Amino acid sequence: MIALSGGVDSAVAAAMLVEQGHRVVGMTMRLYNAQGTQASSGGRCCGPRDMEDARRVAAHLGIPFYVVDLEQEFTTAVVDEFVEAYLAGETPNPCVKCNQHIKFTPLLRHARAMGADVIATGHYANIAPVDESGALGLFRGKDAAKDQSYFLFSMPPDELASVWFPLGDTTKEMVRVKAAAYGLPNAIKPESQEICFVPDGDYAGFVSKHASRRGRSLPVAGQIVRTDGTVVGTHQGVHNYTVGQHRGLGNLTTKDRLYVTGLRPQEGTVIVGTPAEASSDTLYLRDMRWLGPVPAGATQDGFDAHIQIRHRGTPYPVRVTLHGSGARAVVLGAQSEHVIGAPGQAAVLFAGDRVVGGGWLTTSKLDRDLAPGAGAGAAA
């Protein structure tokens, strides 16, 4: 079963599988109601136009095609969590959550119910043996500019054998060439970069509307203060800001280059500071997920890895120690010139090209107590 998004990548992946002689079934997901938005005609991922493009691709390849309605699951696991995170002062990554809770869970169940052995997608990543034992792991794709392994770290580790990424050893340029050679109807379709359910890119506006429909109280206007408490401006709600942000801070009373260093939704306060105050050599990760066994000795001595905080972020070396049976981690060695990622953002650990695991950044006191030197009780 090939997950067809309507884009050129999954279309080429499907064509490659057909060419290789596999029995292929196309399936696309209906995730949200795009009526009245640009998504209905502008080509956001999984919008109505995309479903029609996916149907045309399946017809061109001569494979069966189905649409599976996962709107309720998507709303609960991705959209609602996205909104709640912003209201709590975090910066979520819905694409990671979609891969974790939708594409490789209910979609895989639907594929198996139809008799499929494997689910394939158009992601630029690889699944390959980690060592001579044959255990599988997730690896970066060949095209460094398109690699999507960062978004896939939270996929179920026990399902790696049931997932194929046909584009793992290709590049975007090669995919465009193949699309033309296969005569695919969406061969020249541009790709989408925005969050599918926020077609206009106005995250704060979406959060406000969705929260209101859910009867949630919206963040109120408040003050922008420096780390020493000095008031330097006002704002219209903390959901308009993210930790690490330095543009669009409003009409401040200072010309200093400032970054958002913290958000206090309950108080309606946005905290800003200098680049040095917005940086740290220690990061805290929660809800860790591992694609393979936790490294030997990790809970006592720690292990070396490279961490990547943003999809386009540059990985850099760190020392990782685990707590709570591997559910949380403290990361040391984050380079001081890097502004820290925002709470709620995905942080992925790599060993070379292999994804070891990852989690979500946090600044909660519980995890701050896990800093080096904290007592054994705090680390338990």
Side-chain angles (χ1 to χ4, degrees), residues 334-356:
Q335 298 174 357
S336 60
E337 64 266 30
H338 287 265
V339 175
I340 60 174
Q345 217 165 18
V348 183
L349 301 174
F350 288 85
D353 286 338
R354 182 195 165 201
V355 176
V356 177

Side-chain angles (χ1 to χ4, degrees), residues 144-168:
K146 294 298 298 180
D147 171 54
Q148 293 171 301
S149 57
Y150 172 88
F151 294 112
L152 295 165
F153 83 92
S154 63
M155 63 185 294
D158 55 347
E159 297 290 7
L160 292 179
S162 301
V163 178
W164 287 358
F165 298 132
L167 304 186

Side-chain angles (χ1 to χ4, degrees), residues 5-96:
S5 67
V8 66
D9 294 329
S10 60
V12 169
M16 291 171 63
L17 294 172
V18 171
E19 185 178 50
Q20 292 165 10
H22 298 288
R23 183 184 177 192
V24 182
V25 173
M27 185 180 289
T28 193
M29 301 176 292
R30 181 183 181 276
L31 298 180
Y32 55 92
N33 185 351
Q35 184 176 2
T37 74
Q38 295 176 10
S40 61
S41 59
R44 290 288 185 257
C45 173
C46 303
R49 172 181 166 180
D50 299 294
M51 284 190 281
E52 288 308 310
D53 286 343
R55 190 185 305 276
R56 291 168 59 216
V57 167
H60 178 78
L61 296 176
I63 63 175
F65 177 74
Y66 299 89
V67 175
V68 57
D69 188 346
L70 297 176
E71 181 177 358
Q72 184 57 57
E73 292 91 336
F74 184 77
T75 298
T76 300
V78 180
V79 179
D80 287 349
E81 186 168 320
F82 175 86
V83 172
E84 290 299 324
Y86 261 107
L87 294 179
E90 294 190 345
T91 303
N93 191 316
C95 294
V96 173

Side-chain angles (χ1 to χ4, degrees), residues 132 150 162 227 259 321 369:
E132 295 180 355
Y150 172 88
S162 301
T227 51
Y259 291 78
T321 56
D369 288 341

Side-chain angles (χ1 to χ4, degrees), residues 252-264:
L252 302 182
T253 60
T254 175
K255 299 296 184 181
D256 294 342
R257 183 178 177 85
L258 299 175
Y259 291 78
V260 176
T261 63
L263 301 171
R264 295 175 182 166

